[in-house]
Amino acid sequence: MSGKRGTMPAVTMTGLTGQDVRRRMERGEANTVRDESSRSVSQIIRANVFTLFNAIIAVAMVMVLLTGQWRDSVFGFVIIINTGIGIVTELKAKRTLDRLSILVAAKYLVRRDGDDVEIAHDEIVRDDLLWIRSGDQIPADMELTASWGLELDESMLTGESRTVRKSVGDTAYSGSTAVAGMALGRVTAVGEHSYAARLAAEAKVYKKTRSDLNAGIDTILRFMTFLVVPLCALLIWTQLNTVGGWDAAVSTGAWRQAVVSAVAGVVGMIPEGLVLLTSLNFAVAAMRLARHNTLVQELESVETLARVDALNLDKTGTITDGGIAFDRVEMLDGDASDEARRLAEQALFDLANEERPNGTGRAILDGLGERGVTAGKVAARVPFSSARKWSAVEIGSGGRGDRATAWYMGAPEVLLSCLRESHDDILDRANAIAAEGSRVVLLARAHTVPDSIQGPGAWSDSDPRPLPDAEPVALVVCSERIRPDAERTLAWFREQGVRCRLISGDNPRTVAAIAGKVRLTGDEPPRYMDARELPDITDPDALAETLERVDVLGRVLPEQKKAIVQALHRRGHTVAMTGDGVNDTLALKEADLGIAMGNAAPAAKAVAQVVLVDSKFSHLPDVVARGRQVMANMERVASLFLVKTVYSAIISLGVVLTAMPYPYLPRHITYVGALTIGMPAFILALAPNTRRYIPGFLRRVVAFALPGGIATGLSVLLCAWIVPHAMGWDLSRPDDLDAMRATSAIILFLMGVFVLARVARPLRSWRGGLVAFFAAAGVIGMFIPFVANFFALIIPAGRTLTATAVALAVAAAIFVVCIIVVPKIGRIITHETKTR
């Protein structure tokens, strides 16, 4: 703690003593808050490592490694890749977010032992007397004991962008910012007990993003788990019988091959490539968005982007950038000549050109400065005061007795009340402009003689007043600065069928006026409502009904924002929510997709799934489009992986029922899967696609996968049953067994190419070239000795080539029949079910 005597107003209160401070520190009453911006490293690792998919693949991999057949365990590397992608991507997001969350360690002035001392944020204790000066962010809840025109911006807490005047006895909450004046207050709550910390506490509980894609995969995995365990045992038992039983298998070491064969069936049923491709695509989408300053904190959020059909927008920070822009000057005195306007603008510039102008003053200076107005000669000045609500300058030259002009700028209702004449029409006009969402100040002037106000010194009196014979000259209109990309962005969402609502803590008429400027509802005027008139949050159905008829909500409380999201959920909507303040955290957490601005409060960024690092609203269309691309393409390629699940289950069941050797090895399925499923699927998943996601992912994918899976399973089984008899192979001999498996692998590859061609349609494009390339790659690989050896591939020759060709023709016929017949059977069953 460093002592620093400041030039603060004299007060009689002495504050806490050093002993009082130490006692409070020992009791834990210091202003320390544990600020966790996102999930911990251990949470991220656990979430990515301990999954059902990883458990199944790991057990299968260990079983194969125990046999010593390491080449058949390469499928297990998908665990490392899949887990690594998830961990690395989320850790990168966490590091970025943590950097965003670092705040400037400001110093604060407190009164202790009768002196003013400067201390750090976390050295403040309960009951400290804390000075708040303009520009300070209040670090702890406090009750004001003295105020010199303190005005606070509480938008981070309430969402209302207008400043709030505070008096002695009022409470100032942590998280708000002093924009004018000064105050001294007693700290009433510190650290985690402060208002902002309590509001954010509920949002700190981690909530996993729901993913339809992952939910569908988990459903398959759960089903496979129940099927895999008994089927694996049956497969091992069957394979042991094919080599002479348990005793013979153990004595000859054939048990190893039996386990490998059983694992081939098990692994084939697990869509491990789909899990990996999902993580890869989420990661690629996240990296692409990161290049556009959009940080995705949870990979599953990319999918949620595709499903959004309701977008709740916070006004301040999203539609507007929080700043004020000079709009126009409306002349009132009937003299609209260029000279009169020039004089008014010059006086307006000089009035705003104070040492520390407020937001309105800065907007006027910037706006008039762009028009070429520069500072003039000011004889005397009354600075703006939030207590007076006006400022004044005296412009005049001269010698003694020369006429001068006093110009006044301030709140219309305050200045007009000081004038001798009534100007109700001007006040009505000012109120009408304010109702449109703008800020209005009045410019007035009075002609006087310097001697009559006793020279410049009179301006610094303790209670200056406007001259009663002053005349209103102009209304100065300023408005919240609307983001230049807001209208274009909202138009994109309308075209995409996403319903946007504007939610704010400000006056609903003001918010509706801004919504109209950005054409929130297109050519129709936005329907607005005061949130205080909404149904009670305990009746979500009535709230949901009301929301269907409302586009703009004002005076919304943090609890209501959360209830609004819940009500939209009850109507089946997928809801995205933007926000930047502590007041938005509950709603951001409740939404399917929370989107925070880069300049948002740390609590808001911590609970959001997506952070727009540069706070640009215009990034949202790209965010949603990227999510739609991922989901639409993943639905296309997921059927490739489920085909493998279907035919593996059919083949395994056929093997168990007929007690035959398994028709291929795990390395065969690795080779075929990589060329006809894995690599092509990854390329197809990156193709452009803007189709909006429709619920029912799993049902559609299964319906698409069944014909190809059934055709492949039947083709491989028929090949394994018929070709050995036709060729006179004895499957107890290793060479003949290898030949049968190599032939089955060729059939499997052909069917994989057929399925790929069906998924990649239309083929009259680069997609046809993609299918041809991987088909050729599979054939060429068989002629490369290292590849053929590693994957146990055999090129058929002689009678084997003839038998293989016949089997391929039969397989192609089966594929065509299944593609035509299976969907018709499915439609008949569905129709009968509906009829019943």
Side-chain angles (χ1 to χ4, degrees), residues 320-383:
T320 65
D321 62 8
I324 303 171
F326 173 76
D327 191 351
R328 65 187 185 275
V329 175
E330 287 193 7
M331 304 299 293
L332 296 173
D333 58 5
D335 185 2
S337 64
D338 291 343
E339 179 62 18
R341 182 174 292 275
R342 187 192 66 78
L343 289 174
E345 290 182 351
Q346 181 64 60
L348 190 59
F349 188 96
D350 291 334
L351 282 159
N353 193 25
E354 299 182 352
E355 183 178 350
R356 296 182 65 181
N358 58 18
T360 304
R362 287 193 297 271
I364 291 172
L365 290 174
D366 292 341
L368 293 178
E370 291 176 359
R371 302 182 185 184
V373 182
T374 58
K377 184 178 180 181
V378 175
R381 178 184 298 276
V382 177

Side-chain angles (χ1 to χ4, degrees), residues 117-350:
V117 292
E118 196 174 63
I119 62 173
H121 171 280
D122 52 4
E123 292 177 351
I124 298 170
V125 299
R126 190 173 61 82
D127 296 326
D128 252 331
L129 285 178
L130 176 66
W131 287 103
I132 295 298
R133 297 162 289 185
S134 180
D136 286 348
Q137 185 178 48
I138 297 180
D141 296 353
M142 55 189 293
E143 181 182 343
L144 300 187
T145 57
S147 177
W148 292 266
L150 179 68
E151 290 188 17
L152 297 181
D153 174 3
E154 296 181 336
S155 60
M156 280 293 183
L157 302 177
T158 65
E160 186 170 353
S161 59
R162 298 198 181 269
T163 58
V164 180
R165 180 83 181 276
K166 293 292 182 178
S167 305
V168 173
D170 289 345
T171 299
Y173 292 109
S174 58
S176 52
T177 304
V179 295
M182 179 187 300
L184 180 67
R186 187 178 302 279
V187 175
T188 57
V190 293
E192 296 178 355
H193 301 287
S194 66
Y195 176 78
R198 291 199 311 272
L199 190 61
E202 184 179 344
K204 287 186 178 180
V205 180
Y206 175 71
K207 183 188 78 172
K208 185 68 173 176
T209 301
R210 182 184 176 278
S211 165
D212 267 11
L213 185 55
N214 284 338
I217 295 172
D218 285 342
T219 300
I220 297 169
L221 290 178
R222 283 194 297 270
F223 176 76
M224 288 295 109
T225 302
F226 288 110
L227 185 64
V228 158
V229 175
L231 191 57
C232 186
L234 288 172
L235 282 172
I236 292 175
W237 176 74
T238 301
Q239 299 308 296
L240 289 174
N241 285 338
T242 61
V243 294
W246 174 259
D247 292 336
V250 171
S251 61
T252 62
W255 67 271
R256 294 182 175 87
Q257 192 59 51
V259 170
V260 170
S261 297
V263 169
V266 171
V267 171
M269 286 185 284
I270 306 301
E272 77 281 1
L274 180 57
V275 179
L276 174 59
L277 184 60
T278 302
S279 296
L280 278 171
N281 271 278
F282 284 167
V284 168
M287 287 186 287
R288 285 179 171 177
L289 290 171
R291 288 199 290 269
H292 293 86
N293 291 313
T294 302
L295 173 65
V296 177
Q297 299 197 74
E298 296 175 23
L299 295 183
E300 291 83 356
S301 302
V302 173
E303 178 202 321
T304 311
L305 300 171
R307 297 188 282 117
V308 168
D309 63 353
L311 177 60
N312 293 346
L313 298 167
D314 184 42
K315 175 180 69 68
T316 306
T318 303
I319 302 299
T320 65
D321 62 8
I324 303 171
F326 173 76
D327 191 351
R328 65 187 185 275
V329 175
E330 287 193 7
M331 304 299 293
L332 296 173
D333 58 5
D335 185 2
S337 64
D338 291 343
E339 179 62 18
R341 182 174 292 275
R342 187 192 66 78
L343 289 174
E345 290 182 351
Q346 181 64 60
L348 190 59
F349 188 96
D350 291 334

Side-chain angles (χ1 to χ4, degrees), residues 15-67:
L16 298 178
T17 65
Q19 188 175 0
D20 293 334
V21 173
R22 284 191 295 274
R23 279 201 299 265
R24 284 164 173 75
M25 286 280 192
E26 291 169 0
R27 293 200 299 261
E29 295 177 344
N31 195 42
T32 54
V33 179
R34 186 164 52 92
D35 183 20
E36 295 180 355
S37 60
S38 55
R39 284 198 291 170
S40 66
V41 174
S42 61
Q43 286 175 320
I44 291 173
I45 293 175
R46 283 198 303 271
N48 284 279
V49 172
F50 299 107
T51 65
L52 178 61
F53 164 75
N54 284 357
I56 295 173
I57 296 297
V59 170
M61 183 179 180
V62 169
M63 289 176 64
V64 173
L65 289 175
L66 289 175
T67 69

Side-chain angles (χ1 to χ4, degrees), residues 781-796:
M782 297 176 64
F783 291 90
I784 300 174
F786 171 76
V787 175
N789 266 338
F790 188 90
F791 289 104
L793 303 174
I794 298 175
I795 301 172

Side-chain angles (χ1 to χ4, degrees), residues 660-663 715-725 731 740 744:
M660 62 176 285
Y662 206 86
S715 298
V716 172
L717 284 175
L718 287 174
C719 174
W721 290 335
I722 297 173
V723 170
H725 291 291
L731 297 185
M740 185 273 286
S744 297

Side-chain angles (χ1 to χ4, degrees), residues 413-436:
E413 65 275 14
V414 174
L415 283 178
L416 292 174
S417 67
C418 297
L419 305 186
R420 184 176 294 117
E421 296 183 13
S422 175
H423 297 280
D424 291 340
D425 56 333
I426 296 176
L427 186 58
D428 290 342
R429 175 57 182 157
N431 290 335
I433 296 173
E436 297 172 358

